[in-house]
Amino acid sequence: MSTIKKVNLGNQGLVVPNIGLGCMGMSQIAGNDIYGKADETESIKTIHRSLELGGNFLDTADLYGPLANERLISKAIKGNRDAYIIATKFGFEINDNEELTWQFNGKKEYVKKAVERSLKNLGTDYIDLYYLHRVDPNTPIEETVQAMSDLVKEGKVGYIGLSEVSSETIRKAHNIHPLTAVQSEYSLFERSIEEDGIIKTLQELQIGVVAYSPLGRGFISGEIKHPDDLAENDFRRSIPRFQGEQFYKNIELLNEIKLIANERKITASQLALAWIASKGFLAIPGTKRVKYVEQNIEAAQLVLTTEELNRLENIIPLGTITGNRYDESGMKSVNL
């Protein structure tokens, strides 16, 4: 085990390494590759290498596959379950044929059905952190969270959280059962939860911030030089950040970020992760390759100077337009 930093995620007692492993890209979603093709053997090696370095926080969801990602994690953690902290999510409705209906379901009965399915797929009798992936607009958040609270009382779930929600929803949910974490896309290129006051709400209520896509869905890696570098079925083609003139404006911003990274002799990705760690947030960069999980964990241990932090935030100050994090349809389901 490395001397990876440990942090409190929220104030309910969950202690985690200051960087997690996002596992979404290790499986397809509804027949489409996510960030390129995945190899199960390499993905499992990546999970094991992360653990060797102290990175034992794994983030998954029943959506990923659907269900295939949780089953992959089950293989990776078999015989060593208690060494890992497992976070999974529900809310995208999956029917009995294991197909996505593309509806949201937060009804009490569905919460119970979803958790039993995830427990079975993960090969475990408890989930450390259980999130509502997206709010069901047809079900009061209080009903969904009460059902999640029941799971905690039953010992099936340790802690609960929400994903992509508004301050109002956070407060309503937290009144029913204390939230440990709220997950949202957050990076140098996506700071709307800061602009909208959501981070302020979370800090006031002492709820942890979990930053998914902390590398701007791979944008900050610098490997994508042109929108056509993305495969035809890559879902990022639908995201405004990767489209047209906005893509090239973002490349100019990235080039400035790279100048600071070069001074520190680190990659732009490592700099972006160190920036999130400096705020005390938990970043969960996704990867399915050993070399990147090593680089990511190294990044979370970096300490940036106040000057470096200020320079970074001056490159992309709050309010800078970098393109929405989803297409028009996807944006309708965030910050509810």
Side-chain angles (χ1 to χ4, degrees), residues 75 88 94 106 109 119 140 147 149 167 170 177 182-183 190 196 218 220 249 263 265 281 300 305-306 319:
K75 291 181 185 178
T88 192
I94 300 165
E109 312 78 56
L119 288 166
S149 178
S167 289
I170 290 164
H177 186 100
V182 166
Q183 184 177 125
E190 176 49 65
D196 296 340
I220 295 172
K249 286 182 178 176
E263 289 171 18
K265 296 184 170 54
F281 304 159
T305 66
T306 303

Side-chain angles (χ1 to χ4, degrees), residues 32-101:
N32 291 312
D33 294 326
I34 306 297
Y35 308 130
K37 291 209 175 298
D39 175 84
E40 183 174 291
T41 302
E42 178 70 10
S43 294
I44 290 174
K45 281 182 183 174
T46 302
I47 290 170
H48 290 167
R49 181 60 177 146
S50 185
L51 180 65
E52 286 172 5
L53 296 171
N56 66 336
F57 184 95
L58 305 181
D59 180 272
T60 183
D62 59 8
L63 167 69
Y64 309 155
L67 310 183
N69 202 265
E70 290 180 331
R71 290 167 181 161
L72 169 72
I73 286 174
S74 174
K75 291 181 185 178
I77 68 173
K78 192 169 184 180
N80 202 20
R81 162 66 182 98
D82 290 348
Y84 292 90
I85 300 168
I86 306 293
T88 192
K89 303 179 279 295
F90 77 96
F92 282 88
E93 188 179 70
I94 300 165
N95 66 24
D96 292 338
N97 294 322
E98 301 189 354
E99 298 165 334
L100 285 163
T101 68

Side-chain angles (χ1 to χ4, degrees), residues 159-196:
Y159 305 88
I160 67 169
L162 305 177
S163 177
E164 294 287 21
V165 285
S166 66
S167 289
E168 182 184 4
T169 296
I170 290 164
R171 291 183 188 281
K172 285 179 182 176
H174 197 62
N175 281 336
I176 301 296
H177 186 100
L179 300 177
T180 287
V182 166
Q183 184 177 125
S184 184
E185 182 170 345
Y186 185 75
S187 72
L188 284 166
F189 278 85
E190 176 49 65
R191 294 172 68 189
S192 58
I193 60 166
E194 205 171 337
E195 294 166 354
D196 296 340

